[in-house]
């Protein structure tokens, strides 16, 4: 007999980097037979909830217990142009059963904004913080100096002048003087989310 306690991440069906035009083409094929499809336009994520998670009446099955012992994750982003990457990370986490707190538009250009968010960042339920930033990519270092949990830094490809498609932010994050800050590749919200999940374990 199989264990009735299910890791929510094992039930997540996620496709990333799906343009709206691709989603529209998928819709034309017809409805899914074994699941419910949903498109998240800002994150460009296509998710599917399998019918097997519901009983014959369409209600959530009562014989499955989803693990609820994991800590939550804060997803922060410096500016609104970082939202697609931040939402890719946040949705990957929430679709995998992890509670997410969003702290958006809190970049170092207005440092008081991240200080205002300190109660959320330092909440005892938080096990990891993801920080998305372009431009100079300084926000993860600031957050890393304010929290005592792992920080996952995600450079984004937005910015002016010699931002070099996110390379400037990436180099800043790699050179962070705050201990406990790790970095994923440019615009890799999905990879940052998976890393955060592993941090929680």
């Amino acid at each position: 007999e199989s264990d009735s306690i299910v890791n929510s991440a094992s039930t997540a069906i996620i496709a990333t980097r799906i343009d709206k035009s691709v989603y529209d083409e998928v819709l034309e094929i017809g409805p899914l037979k074994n699941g419910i499809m949903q498109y998240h336009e800002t994150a460009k994520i296509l998710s599917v909830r399998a019918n097997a998670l519901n009983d014959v009446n369409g209600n959530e099955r009562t014989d499955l217990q989803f693990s609820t012992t994991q800590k939550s994750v804060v997803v922060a982003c410096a500016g609104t142009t970082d939202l697609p990457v931040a939402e890719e990370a946040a949705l990957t986490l929430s679709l995998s059963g992890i509670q997410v707190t969003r702290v958006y538009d809190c970049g170092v250009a207005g440092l008081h904004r991240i200080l205002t968010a300190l109660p959320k960042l330092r909440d005892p339920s938080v096990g990891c913080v993801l920080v998305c930033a372009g431009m100079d990519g300084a926000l993860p270092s600031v957050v890393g100096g304010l929290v005592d949990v792992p920080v996952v830094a995600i450079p984004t490809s937005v910015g002016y002048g010699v931002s070099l498609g996110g390379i400037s932010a990436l180099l800043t994050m790699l050179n962070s003087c705050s201990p406990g800050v790790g970095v994923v590749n440019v615009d890799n919200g999905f990879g940052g989310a998976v890393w955060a999940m592993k941090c929680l374990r």
Side-chain angles (χ1 to χ4, degrees):
E1 187 175 358
S2 63
D3 194 339
S4 63
I5 298 179
V6 177
N7 181 341
S8 296
S10 67
T11 68
I13 303 171
I14 301 170
T16 62
R17 307 298 167 96
I18 304 296
D19 290 327
K20 180 68 163 55
S21 59
V22 174
Y23 171 64
D24 290 338
E25 290 180 21
V26 171
L27 281 181
E28 290 179 8
I29 297 172
L32 294 179
K33 292 182 180 179
N34 297 306
I36 299 172
M37 187 169 52
Q38 185 175 2
Y39 183 63
H40 312 269
E41 190 165 0
T42 301
K44 292 188 175 181
I45 283 179
L46 180 64
S47 64
V48 175
R49 179 178 169 82
N51 289 343
L53 298 174
N54 298 331
D55 61 23
V56 292
N57 297 316
N59 301 314
E60 192 168 296
R61 285 171 53 180
T62 56
D63 61 323
L64 295 178
Q65 289 182 297
F66 289 91
S67 175
T68 56
T69 57
Q70 287 180 329
K71 292 203 166 202
S72 64
V73 173
V74 172
V75 176
C77 74
T80 53
T81 51
D82 303 312
L83 276 176
V85 178
E87 276 299 296
E88 181 179 89
L91 276 164
T92 298
L93 289 163
S94 61
L95 291 168
S96 300
I98 294 170
Q99 183 178 341
V100 175
T101 300
R102 291 166 170 83
V103 178
Y104 288 171
D105 199 21
C106 58
V108 296
L111 203 52
H112 60 284
R113 296 177 296 185
I114 198 65
L115 297 177
T116 302
L118 275 179
K120 293 179 180 178
L121 293 168
R122 291 178 170 171
D123 190 282
S125 69
V126 174
C128 186
V129 179
L130 272 74
V131 184
C132 305
M135 299 291 288
D136 56 1
L139 186 60
S141 289
V142 173
V143 172
L146 294 171
V147 301
D148 61 359
V149 296
V151 173
V152 179
I154 308 175
T156 64
S157 56
V158 298
Y160 313 110
V162 288
S163 61
L164 304 174
I167 300 299
S168 294
L170 173 64
L171 292 175
T172 298
M173 294 174 185
L174 287 171
N175 284 286
S176 173
C177 62
S178 295
V181 175
V183 188
V184 296
N185 211 339
V186 177
D187 291 339
N188 191 5
F190 176 82
V194 173
W195 187 354
M197 283 189 262
K198 291 185 176 183
C199 286
L200 296 185
R201 294 182 182 175

